Amino acid sequence: RGRGGKAASQRPKATADGKIAEMDDIEILANKLWLGDKGVRWSDESVVNIMRTHIVGKQYTRSSLQTLERLQYFERYLWANYVSTDDSLVSDAHIMSILLMANEKYQQGVITSMWPLMEGQAFGRLFDRVVRMTTNILSSQEAVGLMDNLSARSVVVQFLIACFGSLETESVRNACMPISSLALWEYIDDTRVLVEKEFERMPQLRKFAKHLRKKKNAGDVLLPALLRDFIAMLFDEENTVGRLAYCTKFAELLVDLESQLATRRY
């Protein structure tokens, strides 16, 4: 023991750049909240603190996200508690944390391990929340879930890329396909004549469009809103590196939508 009476093995580890100490902090928190013998100790405040300190506070570094992925943050804490919590009690920080961890799994090429956990209505509920959040993100410049507006947009678009790359999963397909359906044509104003010509050429499409108009899915507005925002950003003279990176990411989403048989029809 040293002068302070603390065993050497209990002293916090540290390196010149502090990386080991940072990792230990996350691991200590994980053992306290979801990996320990006492079971999961749920607290939305803890999700907010992890977002603030270990994600936003670390500038969204891959190393911090990879550590949280290794500690099963999504499986053992975020998703397990999202499923059992009423949506009105789920914070924006919780939703954005789920998307960030899903994106990290996608980057690591292990996202297929996530979808079985998200089967059923729970994913549809999450996707509906993402649609509502995205609408709010696009209509303002305010921060969302402790993330600045542009970072939040980027996270959402990356999540959509991951989703549309996983349409073989039923719950994902059921949630995503309606936002890329014939209902998109309702938002084509300048070329309405061309739409009418298509309806004349294929009358069954007009009937299908009327059917969709009656159903009116809240997600119908998502892609048109994202497209309008994308085009406005392209012609903005004050584009920054971050905004250009976002535009590149959104272009990747468009390419994916155009390259798949399931989504390129309309």
Side-chain angles (χ1 to χ4, degrees):
R1 295 178 181 271
R3 293 182 179 179
K6 182 180 287 188
S9 61
Q10 294 178 316
R11 294 172 185 162
K13 301 175 183 178
T15 61
D17 57 10
K19 286 185 178 179
I20 292 179
E22 173 197 335
M23 186 176 294
D24 282 350
D25 287 344
I26 298 175
E27 290 178 346
I28 290 170
L29 195 58
N31 284 319
K32 177 182 177 182
L33 295 176
W34 68 86
L35 294 180
D37 296 334
K38 296 181 179 180
V40 175
R41 298 171 61 183
W42 169 247
S43 165
D44 189 69
E45 183 180 353
S46 297
V47 173
V48 172
N49 288 335
I50 290 172
M51 173 68 87
R52 179 185 295 112
T53 305
H54 298 293
I55 299 178
V56 177
K58 301 301 179 183
Q59 302 298 310
Y60 312 100
T61 56
R62 287 292 305 279
S63 59
S64 293
L65 292 170
Q66 287 170 351
T67 299
L68 288 168
E69 164 63 11
R70 177 173 58 81
L71 295 171
Q72 298 182 298
Y73 183 45
F74 170 81
E75 294 87 346
R76 301 284 293 274
Y77 205 60
L78 291 175
W79 188 251
N81 289 288
Y82 173 76
V83 172
S84 60
T85 304
D86 186 271
D87 197 62
S88 63
L89 302 177
V90 178
S91 67
D92 288 346
H94 191 163
I95 299 297
M96 296 308 295
S97 296
I98 289 175
L99 302 195
L100 280 162
M101 297 313 300
N103 291 347
E104 178 56 33
K105 288 179 178 292
Y106 180 79
Q107 294 292 334
Q108 293 187 23
V110 296
I111 197 167
T112 53
S113 66
M114 182 183 78
W115 297 131
L117 297 174
M118 305 176 81
E119 283 288 358
Q121 296 180 349
F123 182 79
R125 178 180 142 213
L126 172 69
F127 200 82
D128 288 344
R129 176 70 177 268
V130 171
V131 169
R132 296 196 302 272
M133 284 182 61
T134 305
T135 302
N136 293 333
I137 290 169
L138 295 176
S139 63
S140 72
Q141 294 298 319
E142 297 179 1
V144 180
L146 301 179
M147 301 177 66
D148 66 272
N149 192 274
L150 184 59
S151 295
R153 295 181 192 210
S154 299
V155 169
V156 168
V157 169
Q158 181 61 66
F159 179 69
L160 291 175
I161 290 172
C163 289
F164 279 105
S166 304
L167 293 179
E168 69 280 358
T169 302
E170 184 179 7
S171 59
V172 179
R173 183 171 62 254
N174 290 342
C176 292
M177 288 304 294
I179 74 169
S180 61
S181 72
L182 183 62
L184 290 172
W185 290 17
E186 288 292 312
Y187 298 89
I188 302 177
D189 296 324
D190 297 337
T191 56
R192 194 67 201 175
V193 174
L194 296 177
V195 172
E196 288 300 323
K197 285 183 178 180
E198 282 297 307
F199 284 160
E200 290 174 6
R201 190 173 67 88
M202 302 183 68
Q204 66 269 31
L205 284 182
R206 188 188 298 275
K207 293 181 181 179
F208 186 37
K210 287 181 179 179
H211 171 70
L212 291 175
R213 200 176 296 126
K214 292 178 181 178
K215 293 178 66 174
K216 203 62 179 177
N217 191 316
D220 293 347
V221 303
L222 182 59
L223 284 180
L226 285 168
L227 271 169
R228 285 193 293 268
D229 181 68
F230 169 67
I231 292 171
M233 201 174 289
L234 282 179
F235 290 95
D236 190 338
E237 295 180 356
E238 299 182 3
N239 269 330
T240 62
V241 172
R243 287 162 72 89
L244 290 173
Y246 167 79
C247 288
T248 301
K249 184 64 64 178
F250 186 77
E252 181 182 343
L253 173 62
L254 293 180
V255 170
D256 287 351
L257 292 174
E258 285 292 325
S259 63
Q260 295 187 94
L261 287 172
T263 54
R264 72 186 184 195
R265 183 177 181 185
Y266 302 116

